[in-house]
Amino acid sequence: MSAATRKRANKVQSGQQSLHPSKDKGRVHPSAAGSSADDVVPFHLDLWLTLTLENWILDFGRPIAMLWVPLEWSPLNMPSVGDYFHMAYNVITPFCLLKLLERCPRKLPLGSSVIYLAVIFFVMGASLHLVGDSVNHRLIHSGYQNHLSVRDNPIMQKLQPESLVDSFELLYFYDEYLGHLMWYIPFFLCLVLYFGGCFVPDKGRGGSMPVSAWILTVVSAVYNWYLVTEGQIFPLFLISYAVMLLIFWHNKGNREEPDVNGYFMLYSFGLTLLLVSTWVGYLWNDPALRVRYPGLIYVPEPWTYYSLYKAGM
């Protein structure tokens, strides 16, 4: 075959390939085609379900286990079943947060060092709370009343010397103030960072919410109501939700939207705000709780309400 003949044969073959591309060569890259099935970020059911279950069992169920497990199983001078729940929570939650942040569709604006520091502070604050909360719930078996302040409790007024009450107030400070701040500020910081990283540029790539996401939205919102009220962190929650809304509208202006995980967070936080508002409205005129929570922000704790009205029933 001459060189001219081979040249004409190659041209014919290349023309046929352009008219009938193969499956591999004809496949369009997702970035060029816009949205594709492989391009949609999936709902992280494994992580969200793990967080939801361990929140309900290890956090909400912790004081219930402390109250209902017989004292013979965990004497007052030893850790209770609820304390072991708290220890497990202090390990599982930061692990899930780190795995969640690893799955961000975007590279986070802050470096990994900030994330690691946030998780370290989270573990430290949750551990402070573990000790203070353990002693507080053990005191309940001795007649301590949650709806009263430390100094106003009858068992504290009988302590001798009176300076011992200062030590219990210090323990309460570590539990309810310093521990909560070091626990919840890093927790919400990690969630807000993740939310800011789960925006996708193409319209419609967020995907619709699956049924599992809607179910977890309701279940997570009810737990978040408990977390915000019992943890006395309504201002922190409100600031976090406001920042999320600002991030949402800022990215919306850039024609970006959250993926399904971002919408899950947005909806669950919105429902949480509705539940907290309903709770506050229901107890707005309660005279006893008004004395217990005299500040500008009035958000009664569920366990204080239980101690005041339900424990003696």
Side-chain angles (χ1 to χ4, degrees):
M1 183 182 293
S2 65
T5 305
R6 284 198 302 270
K7 188 175 181 180
R8 286 194 299 270
N10 290 336
K11 287 183 178 179
V12 172
Q13 185 177 4
S14 63
Q16 290 175 347
Q17 288 178 348
S18 63
L19 291 174
H20 305 285
S22 65
K23 290 183 179 180
D24 293 334
K25 291 184 178 180
R27 184 176 297 156
V28 181
H29 195 272
S31 61
S35 177
S36 70
D38 297 334
D39 213 22
V40 176
V41 179
F43 181 62
H44 303 316
L45 179 61
D46 56 340
L47 292 179
W48 292 121
L49 181 61
T50 301
L51 279 170
T52 302
L53 288 177
E54 61 105 15
N55 282 335
W56 274 104
I57 297 172
L58 301 180
D59 190 23
F60 178 79
R62 172 171 45 84
I64 298 175
M66 287 180 176
L67 292 175
W68 290 100
V69 172
L71 284 178
E72 293 78 13
W73 295 7
S74 56
L76 292 177
N77 62 341
M78 296 295 292
S80 68
V81 174
D83 296 337
Y84 293 112
F85 279 25
H86 208 318
M87 294 176 196
Y89 174 91
N90 291 4
V91 175
I92 297 173
T93 304
F95 175 78
C96 288
L97 288 176
L98 287 173
K99 297 302 292 183
L100 192 64
L101 289 164
E102 284 179 5
R103 298 187 185 180
C104 261
R106 276 187 188 172
K107 182 177 176 61
L108 295 175
L110 299 177
S112 58
S113 298
V114 175
I115 295 172
Y116 292 144
L117 282 174
V119 171
I120 290 170
F121 272 96
F122 171 92
V123 175
M124 186 174 178
S127 299
L128 281 174
H129 181 268
L130 187 159
V131 176
D133 204 54
S134 173
V135 175
N136 178 71
H137 280 87
R138 307 305 260 173
L139 286 173
I140 293 175
H141 292 284
S142 302
Y144 186 84
Q145 300 178 38
N146 267 335
H147 65 277
L148 297 175
S149 66
V150 175
R151 196 166 292 274
D152 292 337
N153 257 272
I155 65 170
M156 294 296 170
Q157 294 174 356
K158 298 176 183 179
L159 282 179
Q160 294 295 330
E162 293 183 3
S163 58
L164 283 176
V165 180
D166 296 333
S167 299
F168 280 99
E169 285 187 326
L170 176 62
L171 183 67
Y172 184 84
F173 171 78
Y174 280 131
D175 175 13
E176 295 295 328
Y177 293 100
L178 185 61
H180 280 190
L181 290 175
M182 294 182 66
W183 177 2
Y184 293 127
I185 289 177
F187 177 74
F188 281 102
L189 175 62
C190 289
L191 291 181
V192 171
L193 285 175
Y194 175 78
F195 179 78
C198 63
F199 281 80
V200 287
D202 295 333
K203 187 176 182 181
R205 286 176 59 191
S208 58
M209 292 266 288
V211 175
S212 58
W214 285 113
I215 295 173
L216 285 181
T217 296
V218 177
V219 178
S220 297
V222 176
Y223 167 77
N224 288 338
W225 160 82
Y226 170 77
L227 179 71
V228 170
T229 53
E230 186 66 29
Q232 292 293 282
I233 55 168
F234 181 70
L236 177 61
F237 165 78
L238 197 60
I239 292 171
S240 302
Y241 186 45
V243 171
M244 288 170 59
L245 290 175
L246 289 174
I247 294 173
F248 174 80
W249 289 113
H250 171 74
N251 286 277
K252 199 73 172 177
N254 296 331
R255 296 184 179 180
E256 295 178 334
E257 64 173 347
D259 62 20
V260 63
N261 300 282
Y263 276 119
F264 164 75
M265 293 180 63
L266 210 57
Y267 295 153
S268 62
F269 272 53
L271 184 54
T272 300
L273 182 59
L274 178 62
L275 292 174
V276 173
S277 301
T278 304
W279 170 257
V280 172
Y282 172 68
L283 300 174
W284 186 257
N285 294 318
D286 189 287
L289 292 175
R290 277 291 180 179
V291 173
R292 179 68 176 85
Y293 304 96
L296 179 64
I297 299 176
Y298 173 72
V299 182
E301 299 170 73
W303 279 108
T304 300
Y305 176 80
Y306 172 83
S307 174
L308 184 60
Y309 293 114
K310 304 296 182 181
M313 295 179 62

